[in-house]
Amino acid sequence: MKPTVVTTDPHQLFDSRPTFSHAASSLGPSRMVMTAGQVGADEDGCVPADTTAQIELAFRNLRRCLEATGATVRDIIKLVYYIVDYDPNNRLHLAPLVRFLDGHRPATTLVPVPKLARPEFKFEVEAYVAIPQQPLREVDVVVVGAGLSGLKTAYDVQKAGYSCAVVEARDRVGGKTWSVDKDGGDKFVDRGAAWINDTNQSEVYKLALALGLRLVVQNTTGNVVQQDIDSRVSQFPYGSVPQGLASGGTQDLVAIRDKAESVCQTLDIYDPVRTGGHLDKITLEEWIKTEGGGETGLASAAIWTRAMLGLEPSEMSALFFLNYCKSGGGLLQMRSDRKDGGQYLRFARGTQSLSIGLAALLQPDSILFSSPVRSATQTERGVHVVSARGDFLCRRLVVSVPTPLYKEIRFEPPLPAAKGQLAAQNRLGYINKVILRYASPWWRQHGLCGMLQSFTGPVSVSRDSSVDEVGQYSLTCFLAGKTGREQSQLSQAERVRNVAEHIRQTLGQGISDVPEPIGFEEHEWSRDQWAQGCPCPTAPPGVMSQYEQALRAPHGRVHFVGTETAYEWKGYLEGAVRSGARGAQEVIQALGAAKL
Amino acid sequence: MKPTVVTTDPHQLFDSRPTFSHAASSLGPSRMVMTAGQVGADEDGCVPADTTAQIELAFRNLRRCLEATGATVRDIIKLVYYIVDYDPNNRLHLAPLVRFLDGHRPATTLVPVPKLARPEFKFEVEAYVAIPQQPLREVDVVVVGAGLSGLKTAYDVQKAGYSCAVVEARDRVGGKTWSVDKDGGDKFVDRGAAWINDTNQSEVYKLALALGLRLVVQNTTGNVVQQDIDSRVSQFPYGSVPQGLASGGTQDLVAIRDKAESVCQTLDIYDPVRTGGHLDKITLEEWIKTEGGGETGLASAAIWTRAMLGLEPSEMSALFFLNYCKSGGGLLQMRSDRKDGGQYLRFARGTQSLSIGLAALLQPDSILFSSPVRSATQTERGVHVVSARGDFLCRRLVVSVPTPLYKEIRFEPPLPAAKGQLAAQNRLGYINKVILRYASPWWRQHGLCGMLQSFTGPVSVSRDSSVDEVGQYSLTCFLAGKTGREQSQLSQAERVRNVAEHIRQTLGQGISDVPEPIGFEEHEWSRDQWAQGCPCPTAPPGVMSQYEQALRAPHGRVHFVGTETAYEWKGYLEGAVRSGARGAQEVIQALGAAKL
């Protein structure tokens, strides 16, 4: 990224390196961002007693302000620090500041003060930011979001001969696919979405083939480790059913699984409310109880909803869950890691390579990064789109962000009430994939496939996410739903320690030489400004019945895509590609009609 | 200059005159500049104990920040003061503030604080600045710098039919020519370069004639005053040699002068390294000692190097100095104040009138003032130039600033390593012309021409710089090199007092009624953001041998001019004009070739 702020060291002023410049200027026309003074208080207003912890938190909060406005640290032109009990011989803010700035040197002022707004605050920092503006651009179509669905729309639109710009809040493509190779060596792991298959996920598979991406078959050789409601650990071969669960649990589990499978098969994914409206009156938990499910049946359903949606059975409409299963061919198919299943194939270089590949096929400079869209105003001529780094005039707008993020954009005229309700009531779950990296796939030598299913947590489910050909060996451990949110309250070090310990006690049970992980990855999508959760907004009872018909409906010149709007493989990469293609079709048809 | 900030006095708010406005707005699209809080610390971090002195220094530092970013006081939109031990009944900052603002009234906030970043700081001021932006301009050629070389390039380029803009960091033309008439009455004196001749300085003389500028012959009637190494003062007729110097000094001086003259005549100014490479291995001081020069020979050489380059014989390559002399026809010719010499003619209205005259011949609005160039990015189409008050797209860029200032511009692709080394290693000297103004030329009545040559200092050399026809009578006293830098550590009042006293003790020796000066002028070029020294970057040993060939070499679409790049009369006005013409030729040829 080119520098956006010019820092100046005037002749004959004292050396201000490494933390500031005597003067800093914006580089041409820019949008100003100013933050409130950021203090060391968390989301709930809690303030750590330790001053250094407060300072770290204040800088983290400041970073959130930047991210939410489309600014980067390099866009900061000025910082002002207010410090209580300032001691020039013990400058506590210096180390966190140097880490925060990462080489950037804005102009700064340090103001020792007797106190701040609340007696417990010891440190406050405010930023003045200049985000450079590109000139107004006129295009046929603007797509909001460079995730897989948005990029697919843009690609199809450009292929049809229309001009199209993609405006992305993040500094990268891929949305909730994010593949990282932190230590180099081509050992990518997926912080987000990871799996596809090559049969009923035909669209994403075609794209993978077209882009020439290497695929890896998910390992399902060996036993699954099962942790029961009483924490007892047992094993069963992948593809069979856990045996000997407490209190007749096996039967309970099988019964509720079969019931869910058969009921979901009765639903019409093109009209779930007509075919299953009564199921939208209750939560999945209530439905399971109604169907006679016991403690194990409920625990088993919690495994499904946590790993699939990051929520509890009590937090979603039964209809929503069962229709979600049906969109992927049914509960069994969606949960399967084998041929035709939801988790059959992975990408050697991660799923983000789909988006990277698509982006490379767009015309140069099609994507504007770090530029969240702020407003979309429809006029007679088209849509005026305001984003952090520049404005657009377009004839059609395609919004590819999840419904709960619609609130970040000011639509004029406002979205219809039904769409607003979807945005307000659909809920994003908590899934954090803690990926433990190992020097070797030690679990395989002990007859394990790497899968854990735990009714107790903290890890709900784990899977082998290795790519053997490059020596990337890892277990992806799902912290999800209620038990995931509990872990989210801890520090990262504690959380990762808990995950490693849980794996040692379950997959490692009876194994004397379980090795230490050599590294880890995680990303808390629920804390991510531009995800706010994952993988797919989930409806509580009543929402589908009232508002489902509004999910895909265009709003004047504004169209809506995203995996949640797919009929098939909702919440999956396949759903993203299909919805993107659908959005492009809508737009191409509208533009074609306008020509006549 | 038009106002760039609009200040507002809202109805029914208390009267905020004279130091601030309740609100201030930028005038249209602007670049933001923010300064770090400026305190009363000098370049070395030293802080005066006196609070008022700190406040004065803080405002001086703030002014440096403005100047370095291309801002002026009138561009300030907001000031914030932080004051320790603030006493509302004794507002120490008020008088310095009023002087600093000079009638401008930005919005301001005053914040009393218990302390500042360091315990000794008592005052801090920060500025928020809005620099108005002109729209992007496309021209054939952009010239960086409106000194004499840059203006000559621009004039020739426009005459050849190409569009050309000049972008200047200062708020005036002329660079290191700066002629002032502080008290009116057309009594100009030159703070910078002052002399030309009408024979071997053919190009600048032609320009002076073309512009119809009145010239004045340098006064050399009468005796020179010589101050020997033992401080003894004697006289000798101008054009002869000082007699009776201590320890056989006269012979020493003549021998080393004649040796320097004969060796410099052996050099080829078009290839000095080939003809004198061995001289680039040692400093001028070492060379003088090798040639048998004694204390007086060395003191005499110091007079040359101080007055000519602002440095000591120990601070430059022997080759650099001797080639510099040769570029002006030799040591004797360059040092001469008579026909054919370097100091034969002055301008009745000062040398800046050359630049003012050239600028007036350019097309209207060719020059953008107060707009330092920040970056120059070469693309396939041309060069994108970013300057403080607007951006340019051009086909060719001509840089006319001295090599040590190249660091202020971010070149993309970066300058070749050799040019970077020239910029980093060539050194700008210290010359401060303290010009004492008198009611009459009292020295002439005592048989003196006004020239002093002092081996001891503080004044190294003085000259009569009067313009008799308008009654401007003055002695220009060179504070230069080591003895000059010592004076630079003093306050201006002390420094000027020392100069006047030195003149009284030397030129005034034995004269009972030496009058008091009626005024003075000076400019410390080494403290000037856009000069950083004068007159000409000087090479230490080794630099010419390695990097001389890079001095004039273009860098893609970027060309380099400036008096230091001239073959003839390097460091003089003549060199500036010749280099400017050379740059224009390069560019016109390149643009012509591009047309074919």
Side-chain angles (χ1 to χ4, degrees):
Chain A
M1 208 159 168
K2 281 186 300 183
T4 57
V5 163
V6 181
T7 61
T8 304
D9 298 314
H11 183 55
Q12 295 212 318
L13 288 194
F14 66 80
D15 189 345
S16 61
R17 288 170 295 181
T19 51
F20 74 98
S21 302
H22 283 292
S25 323
S26 63
L27 201 75
S30 45
R31 187 182 301 264
M32 296 303 304
V33 177
M34 302 188 187
T35 73
Q38 294 301 309
V39 294
D42 72 10
E43 197 175 2
D44 305 315
C46 295
V47 180
D50 175 53
T51 301
T52 301
Q54 274 194 34
I55 294 171
E56 296 276 7
L57 186 49
F59 279 113
R60 200 156 80 212
N61 291 341
L62 181 59
R63 198 183 291 277
R64 289 199 166 277
C65 292
L66 297 183
E67 207 177 357
T69 53
T72 68
V73 169
R74 306 226 151 238
D75 299 322
I76 297 175
I77 190 163
K78 172 101 197 235
L79 285 178
V80 182
Y81 323 114
Y82 302 92
I83 305 180
V84 178
D85 304 330
Y86 171 70
D87 176 0
N89 300 314
N90 186 21
R91 291 153 61 91
L92 296 175
H93 69 291
L94 219 55
L97 172 63
V98 166
R99 275 197 298 278
F100 175 81
L101 290 176
D102 191 27
H104 182 52
R105 293 198 292 132
T108 67
T109 301
L110 187 159
V111 190
V113 289
K115 51 186 162 184
L116 287 163
R118 275 169 50 190
E120 57 269 40
F121 296 159
K122 299 295 181 197
F123 180 83
E124 186 160 344
V125 54
E126 63 186 14
Y128 297 82
V129 183
I131 302 181
Q133 295 298 291
Q134 66 166 31
L136 180 76
R137 277 172 66 184
E138 288 199 53
V139 288
D140 293 319
V141 179
V142 166
V143 175
V144 183
L148 189 51
S149 61
L151 289 172
K152 172 63 176 167
T153 300
Y155 175 74
D156 285 2
V157 165
Q158 287 193 354
K159 217 168 109 187
Y162 294 101
S163 58
C164 179
V166 183
V167 192
E168 168 59 47
R170 295 187 170 95
D171 58 2
R172 59 169 182 83
V173 297
K176 290 192 287 287
T177 62
W178 191 9
S179 312
V180 292
D181 177 26
K182 225 164 41 183
D183 305 321
D186 220 29
K187 298 181 180 184
F188 285 89
V189 296
D190 277 313
R191 288 173 169 170
W195 288 276
I196 67 165
N197 74 41
D198 54 356
T199 52
N200 49 58
Q201 295 193 356
S202 55
E203 301 311 303
V204 70
Y205 182 62
K206 264 193 279 184
L207 180 59
L209 287 185
L211 295 172
L213 303 178
R214 267 184 4 262
L215 294 165
V216 177
V217 173
Q218 177 61 32
N219 176 31
T220 55
T221 306
N223 281 344
V224 176
V225 172
Q226 172 74 34
Q227 186 167 35
D228 203 354
I229 47 177
D230 59 4
S231 295
R232 210 161 37 87
V233 169
S234 62
Q235 297 186 8
F236 64 95
Y238 184 92
S240 70
V241 169
Q243 298 299 324
L245 296 180
S247 325
T250 301
Q251 198 182 342
D252 188 8
L253 177 157
V254 169
I256 209 66
R257 182 196 70 184
D258 291 349
K259 185 70 186 175
E261 179 66 21
S262 69
V263 171
C264 88
Q265 293 299 347
T266 68
L267 298 175
D268 175 2
I269 55 172
Y270 296 98
D271 199 351
V273 174
R274 185 185 52 80
T275 46
H278 59 289
L279 295 168
D280 195 39
K281 294 188 166 61
I282 51 175
T283 65
L284 179 62
E285 180 174 298
E286 288 162 346
W287 178 79
I288 287 167
K289 286 179 177 166
T290 306
E291 296 294 335
E295 194 180 356
T296 304
L298 213 49
S300 191
I303 293 270
W304 309 335
T305 59
R306 287 173 188 170
M308 289 159 74
L309 291 159
L311 293 166
E312 299 298 307
S314 62
E315 294 174 315
M316 64 189 66
S317 153
L319 177 62
F320 180 88
F321 178 76
L322 294 167
N323 182 60
Y324 191 79
C325 292
K326 180 65 186 301
S327 86
L331 175 64
L332 295 179
Q333 179 169 293
M334 201 175 237
R335 302 275 311 132
S336 167
D337 294 4
R338 290 197 169 151
K339 188 79 177 174
D340 305 330
Q343 290 74 231
Y344 178 49
L345 298 170
R346 282 179 291 110
F347 291 77
R349 298 173 59 89
T351 51
Q352 197 185 359
S353 43
L354 288 167
S355 293
I356 293 168
L358 263 180
L361 297 176
L362 296 182
Q363 275 147 33
D365 297 321
S366 290
I367 310 177
L368 183 61
F369 288 105
S370 296
S371 194
V373 169
R374 289 302 168 211
S375 68
T377 306
Q378 300 191 48
T379 66
E380 275 177 36
R381 289 177 50 219
V383 189
H384 181 200
V385 180
V386 175
S387 82
R389 285 169 203 269
D391 291 9
F392 297 83
L393 279 176
C394 63
R395 294 161 67 201
R396 293 278 158 172
L397 178 68
V398 179
V399 176
S400 79
V401 305
T403 40
L405 280 153
Y406 291 176
K407 67 177 172 2
E408 308 287 336
I409 303 171
R410 213 174 61 89
F411 290 95
E412 186 55 43
L415 293 183
K419 248 192 216 305
Q421 286 301 319
L422 284 176
Q425 298 198 33
N426 281 352
R427 183 166 170 190
L428 283 160
Y430 180 92
I431 299 184
N432 176 12
K433 291 165 73 173
V434 177
I435 302 162
L436 300 180
R437 308 185 67 147
Y438 293 95
S440 69
W442 55 269
W443 53 92
R444 296 186 199 162
Q445 297 147 31
H446 300 280
L448 300 177
C449 68
M451 177 175 266
L452 165 70
Q453 290 194 151
S454 169
F455 291 158
T456 59
V459 177
S460 292
V461 169
S462 76
R463 280 194 181 87
D464 185 339
S465 48
S466 308
V467 180
D468 291 31
E469 63 188 70
V470 294
Q472 185 271 92
Y473 300 110
S474 57
L475 290 172
T476 290
C477 306
F478 286 74
L479 298 181
K482 184 163 74 80
T483 48
R485 291 194 292 263
E486 284 161 13
Q487 294 297 312
S488 179
Q489 299 307 308
L490 308 177
S491 73
Q492 185 179 62
E494 290 172 301
R495 184 165 55 243
V496 172
R497 202 161 46 233
N498 289 349
V499 168
E501 187 52 33
H502 192 200
I503 291 298
R504 178 186 296 275
Q505 288 169 4
T506 51
L507 271 67
Q509 195 180 59
I511 302 174
S512 59
D513 57 348
V514 174
E516 286 296 314
I518 58 170
F520 72 91
E521 277 293 339
E522 68 157 5
H523 185 68
E524 292 200 78
W525 292 98
S526 70
R527 295 189 187 275
D528 182 316
Q529 172 69 36
W530 303 114
Q532 303 189 9
C534 71
C536 182
T538 300
V543 172
M544 286 180 79
S545 305
Q546 284 187 79
Y547 309 119
E548 171 75 3
Q549 86 293 346
L551 185 60
R552 304 165 190 91
H555 169 51
R557 297 169 181 272
V558 182
H559 302 256
F560 300 88
V561 303
T563 188
E564 68 184 290
T565 71
Y567 292 106
E568 294 178 82
W569 288 105
K570 215 185 266 291
Y572 282 67
L573 295 172
E574 176 73 4
V577 175
R578 286 183 184 240
S579 81
R582 193 248 317 142
Q585 263 181 347
E586 284 178 21
V587 161
I588 291 164
Q589 194 165 28
L591 294 174
K595 265 192 191 155
L596 298 179
Chain B
M1 211 158 168
K2 282 184 297 183
T4 58
V5 163
V6 180
T7 60
T8 305
D9 298 315
H11 184 52
Q12 295 210 319
L13 287 193
F14 68 79
D15 189 345
S16 61
R17 287 172 296 181
T19 50
F20 74 97
S21 303
H22 285 291
S25 327
S26 63
L27 200 74
S30 46
R31 187 184 300 265
M32 295 302 305
V33 177
M34 300 186 187
T35 73
Q38 293 300 308
V39 294
D42 70 11
E43 193 177 7
D44 305 315
C46 295
V47 180
D50 176 54
T51 301
T52 301
Q54 274 193 34
I55 295 171
E56 295 277 8
L57 186 49
F59 279 114
R60 200 157 78 214
N61 290 341
L62 182 59
R63 198 182 291 277
R64 287 198 168 278
C65 291
L66 298 182
E67 205 176 359
T69 53
T72 69
V73 168
R74 306 225 151 239
D75 299 323
I76 296 175
I77 191 161
K78 172 101 194 239
L79 284 179
V80 182
Y81 322 113
Y82 302 93
I83 305 179
V84 179
D85 304 331
Y86 173 68
D87 176 1
N89 299 314
N90 186 20
R91 292 152 59 89
L92 296 175
H93 69 291
L94 216 58
L97 172 63
V98 167
R99 274 196 300 278
F100 174 81
L101 290 177
D102 191 26
H104 183 51
R105 291 198 294 132
T108 67
T109 302
L110 187 160
V111 189
V113 287
K115 52 186 162 183
L116 286 164
R118 275 167 52 189
E120 57 270 40
F121 296 159
K122 299 296 180 197
F123 179 83
E124 188 160 343
V125 55
E126 63 185 11
Y128 297 84
V129 183
I131 303 180
Q133 295 297 290
Q134 66 166 30
L136 180 77
R137 277 172 66 183
E138 288 199 53
V139 288
D140 294 318
V141 179
V142 165
V143 175
V144 183
L148 188 51
S149 62
L151 289 172
K152 171 63 176 168
T153 299
Y155 175 74
D156 286 3
V157 165
Q158 288 194 352
K159 216 167 109 186
Y162 294 100
S163 59
C164 179
V166 183
V167 192
E168 168 59 47
R170 295 186 170 95
D171 59 1
R172 60 169 181 84
V173 296
K176 291 194 288 287
T177 62
W178 192 9
S179 312
V180 292
D181 176 27
K182 224 164 42 184
D183 305 321
D186 221 27
K187 298 182 179 181
F188 285 88
V189 296
D190 278 313
R191 288 174 168 170
W195 286 276
I196 67 164
N197 74 41
D198 55 356
T199 52
N200 50 57
Q201 295 192 356
S202 56
E203 301 312 301
V204 68
Y205 182 62
K206 264 193 277 183
L207 180 59
L209 286 185
L211 295 171
L213 303 177
R214 268 185 2 264
L215 294 163
V216 177
V217 174
Q218 176 61 32
N219 175 31
T220 56
T221 305
N223 281 344
V224 176
V225 171
Q226 172 73 35
Q227 186 168 35
D228 203 353
I229 48 177
D230 59 3
S231 295
R232 209 159 38 87
V233 169
S234 62
Q235 297 186 9
F236 64 94
Y238 185 92
S240 71
V241 168
Q243 297 301 323
L245 295 179
S247 322
T250 301
Q251 200 183 343
D252 189 7
L253 177 158
V254 169
I256 209 66
R257 184 197 69 185
D258 290 349
K259 185 71 187 176
E261 179 66 20
S262 69
V263 171
C264 89
Q265 292 300 346
T266 67
L267 298 175
D268 176 1
I269 55 172
Y270 296 98
D271 199 350
V273 174
R274 184 184 53 80
T275 45
H278 60 289
L279 296 167
D280 195 38
K281 294 190 166 61
I282 52 175
T283 65
L284 179 63
E285 180 174 298
E286 288 163 344
W287 179 78
I288 287 166
K289 287 179 176 166
T290 307
E291 295 295 334
E295 194 180 355
T296 304
L298 214 48
S300 191
I303 294 271
W304 309 334
T305 60
R306 287 173 188 172
M308 289 159 74
L309 291 159
L311 292 165
E312 300 297 305
S314 61
E315 294 174 316
M316 63 188 68
S317 152
L319 177 62
F320 179 89
F321 178 76
L322 294 168
N323 183 62
Y324 191 79
C325 292
K326 179 65 186 300
S327 86
L331 174 64
L332 296 179
Q333 180 169 295
M334 200 175 237
R335 302 274 311 130
S336 167
D337 292 6
R338 290 196 169 153
K339 189 81 176 171
D340 305 331
Q343 289 74 231
Y344 179 48
L345 298 171
R346 281 178 294 107
F347 291 76
R349 297 172 60 88
T351 51
Q352 197 185 359
S353 44
L354 287 166
S355 293
I356 293 168
L358 263 180
L361 296 177
L362 296 182
Q363 276 147 32
D365 297 321
S366 290
I367 310 177
L368 183 60
F369 289 104
S370 297
S371 195
V373 169
R374 288 303 168 211
S375 67
T377 306
Q378 299 193 48
T379 66
E380 274 176 36
R381 291 178 48 219
V383 188
H384 182 200
V385 180
V386 174
S387 82
R389 284 169 202 269
D391 291 10
F392 297 82
L393 279 177
C394 62
R395 296 160 67 200
R396 294 277 158 172
L397 178 67
V398 179
V399 176
S400 79
V401 305
T403 40
L405 280 152
Y406 291 176
K407 68 175 172 4
E408 307 288 335
I409 304 172
R410 213 176 62 91
F411 290 94
E412 185 56 45
L415 293 182
K419 249 191 217 302
Q421 286 300 321
L422 284 176
Q425 298 199 33
N426 281 351
R427 183 166 170 192
L428 282 160
Y430 180 92
I431 300 184
N432 176 12
K433 291 165 73 173
V434 176
I435 302 163
L436 300 180
R437 307 184 69 146
Y438 294 95
S440 69
W442 54 268
W443 54 91
R444 295 185 198 162
Q445 297 146 30
H446 299 279
L448 301 176
C449 67
M451 175 174 268
L452 164 71
Q453 288 194 151
S454 170
F455 291 160
T456 60
V459 178
S460 291
V461 170
S462 77
R463 281 194 182 87
D464 185 339
S465 49
S466 307
V467 180
D468 291 31
E469 63 188 72
V470 293
Q472 185 271 90
Y473 300 109
S474 58
L475 290 172
T476 290
C477 306
F478 286 74
L479 298 181
K482 183 163 75 77
T483 47
R485 291 194 292 262
E486 285 161 11
Q487 294 297 311
S488 179
Q489 300 307 307
L490 309 177
S491 73
Q492 185 179 61
E494 289 173 301
R495 183 164 57 242
V496 173
R497 202 162 44 234
N498 288 349
V499 168
E501 185 54 33
H502 192 202
I503 291 298
R504 179 187 294 277
Q505 287 169 4
T506 50
L507 269 68
Q509 194 180 58
I511 302 174
S512 58
D513 56 349
V514 174
E516 286 297 314
I518 58 171
F520 73 91
E521 279 293 339
E522 68 157 4
H523 185 68
E524 292 200 79
W525 292 97
S526 70
R527 296 190 187 275
D528 182 315
Q529 172 69 37
W530 303 116
Q532 303 189 8
C534 72
C536 182
T538 299
V543 172
M544 286 180 79
S545 303
Q546 283 188 78
Y547 309 118
E548 172 76 3
Q549 85 292 346
L551 185 59
R552 303 164 191 93
H555 170 51
R557 295 169 181 273
V558 183
H559 302 255
F560 299 88
V561 303
T563 187
E564 68 184 289
T565 71
Y567 292 107
E568 294 179 82
W569 288 104
K570 213 183 264 294
Y572 283 68
L573 296 172
E574 175 73 4
V577 175
R578 285 183 184 239
S579 81
R582 193 245 319 140
Q585 263 180 347
E586 283 179 21
V587 160
I588 291 164
Q589 195 166 25
L591 294 174
K595 266 192 190 156
L596 298 180

